[in-house]
Amino acid sequence: MLLHVLGTAAGGGIPQWNCACPGCSGARAHPERRRRHASLAVRTGEGRWYLVNATPDIGDQIEAHPALHPGPGPRQTPVAGVVLTDAELDHTLGIARLREADGLEIHATPPVHRALEERLRLGDVLRPYTRLTWQDLPRHGTRTLPGGGPGSGLRISAVPVSTKRPRYAADAPEDDAWVVALRLYDPATGKSALYAPAVAEWSDTLHRVAAEADCVIVDGTFWDEEEPRRTGISSRTATGMGHLPIDGPDGTARILATLPARRLYTHLNNTNPLVDPAAAQHKRLARLGIEVADDEMVIEL
Ligand code: MLT
Ligand code: MN
Ligand code: ZN
């Protein structure tokens, strides 16, 4: 299995256009600290890739990864489709940027599909430009992301991790599949990866999948529970915003420390001290064997 990390920032990116916090200012002064919105490209076969989430940075993300460049035909693209973990704007706005495609396959859970069709009206808006083909990402069971050739393809399954609805759909029906983690399994090698850029609750099911995975890439939005309030970006705590913090008694670092997999954090908010490469928090994670994912990282399993 081949994974290309396309971005590692939470909504807003680093730097965020209207933010002068230390993390964003630091990234303006030191361009190597910039992070694009969190996303992953997954290879399912020869010259065939799926994007996990479609961010506002999607055009730049494709250009930064030669494996995703078009060719040899003038409009031939290796990007076969998009798999969504949720309906948040930082993970879905990029769909409109892909409207030059002849057609686009989008894998999403039922509430995410409905939010994009009925609230963002993506189907209506994009119909004159391209053809969206929706594929159901079920709460239980697996689906195949086709690889385009014999012995290729990946199996995906969704693990519910949060009932949080996007703000633009705050009054939509409750559902446990508003936010899911993705398990990616390669039948050819028996390897699996877990991608979970938002986690509000570390369930037993999530733990079982994480414990069996060869690589887990997990929500690193906030370092600690009080970070959003302390930095003044919100009146809510990290957990209140739908993101388990990294540090502390309910933090994910303690859990990740016990897993045999390669473990990485992604979806860093610009208030997270980890956006500064000199922060002491990097050493704390390193002692637990945990990494912070970087844009452009290539993970081969
Ligand atoms: C999140 O990760 O919680 C959302 O993307 C936040 C937002 O942008 O509204
Ligand atoms: Mn987000
Ligand atoms: Zn900032």
Side-chain angles (χ1 to χ4, degrees), residues 4-293:
H4 280 205
V5 177
L6 303 185
T8 53
I14 305 169
Q16 177 175 314
W17 69 278
N18 64 345
C19 189
C21 76
C24 290
S25 304
R28 287 191 187 94
H30 305 278
E32 71 281 3
R33 296 189 195 172
R34 287 169 181 252
R35 291 176 186 267
R36 294 184 175 125
H37 287 94
S39 175
L40 203 63
V42 186
R43 201 183 84 116
T44 62
E46 195 55 46
R48 190 176 171 92
W49 295 78
Y50 282 81
L51 307 181
V52 181
N53 294 327
T55 86
D57 298 321
I58 199 164
D60 293 334
Q61 289 172 321
I62 289 172
E63 289 309 318
H65 289 262
L68 304 178
H69 290 177
R75 290 286 164 89
Q76 194 179 342
T77 171
V79 178
V82 175
V83 185
L84 298 175
T85 59
D86 52 66
E88 294 288 348
L89 294 178
D90 57 340
H91 290 161
T92 56
L93 284 176
I95 293 170
R97 279 207 70 183
L98 300 179
R99 67 188 177 282
E100 293 86 2
D102 288 336
L104 196 60
E105 185 183 310
I106 307 179
H107 298 251
T109 65
V112 169
H113 176 191
R114 271 197 303 275
L116 296 180
E117 287 278 38
E118 293 168 14
R119 305 284 175 138
L120 292 187
R121 296 188 44 244
L122 268 189
D124 291 341
V125 169
L126 294 182
R127 193 162 298 118
Y129 302 87
T130 190
R131 182 176 30 83
L132 299 185
T133 307
W134 294 93
Q135 302 285 345
D136 184 35
L137 187 56
R139 291 176 180 78
H140 305 287
T142 59
R143 278 279 185 282
T144 298
L145 287 180
S152 64
L154 289 183
R155 299 245 285 275
I156 53 167
S157 46
V159 182
V161 287
S162 173
T163 56
K164 193 184 106 177
R165 292 157 282 199
R167 280 190 261 175
Y168 68 80
D171 59 343
E174 286 181 25
D175 196 300
D176 71 348
W178 273 109
V179 184
V180 298
L182 289 181
R183 176 180 187 258
L184 304 158
Y185 173 75
D186 185 349
T189 60
K191 302 279 187 185
S192 72
L194 175 71
Y195 185 64
V199 178
E201 197 202 345
W202 196 276
S203 68
D204 292 345
T205 308
L206 184 67
H207 195 76
R208 188 169 43 74
V209 171
E212 287 169 4
D214 299 282
C215 178
V216 301
I217 307 176
V218 171
D219 185 344
T221 309
F222 299 114
W223 176 261
D224 64 83
E225 180 70 347
E226 288 299 324
E227 180 185 316
R229 300 209 280 216
R230 191 175 56 248
T231 56
I233 61 154
S234 175
S235 55
R236 289 176 293 168
T237 62
T239 310
M241 293 179 74
H243 298 283
L244 288 179
I246 295 174
D247 195 33
D250 297 321
T252 51
R254 301 172 29 252
I255 303 168
L256 296 193
T258 67
L259 301 176
R262 181 173 179 190
R263 295 139 295 163
L264 306 105
Y265 280 116
T266 190
H267 195 270
L268 273 64
N269 197 54
N270 42 50
T271 52
N272 189 323
L274 291 170
V275 304
D276 179 353
Q281 284 85 348
H282 282 281
K283 294 201 183 70
R284 302 231 339 245
L285 291 183
R287 278 197 293 273
L288 299 173
I290 303 170
E291 303 167 66
V292 178

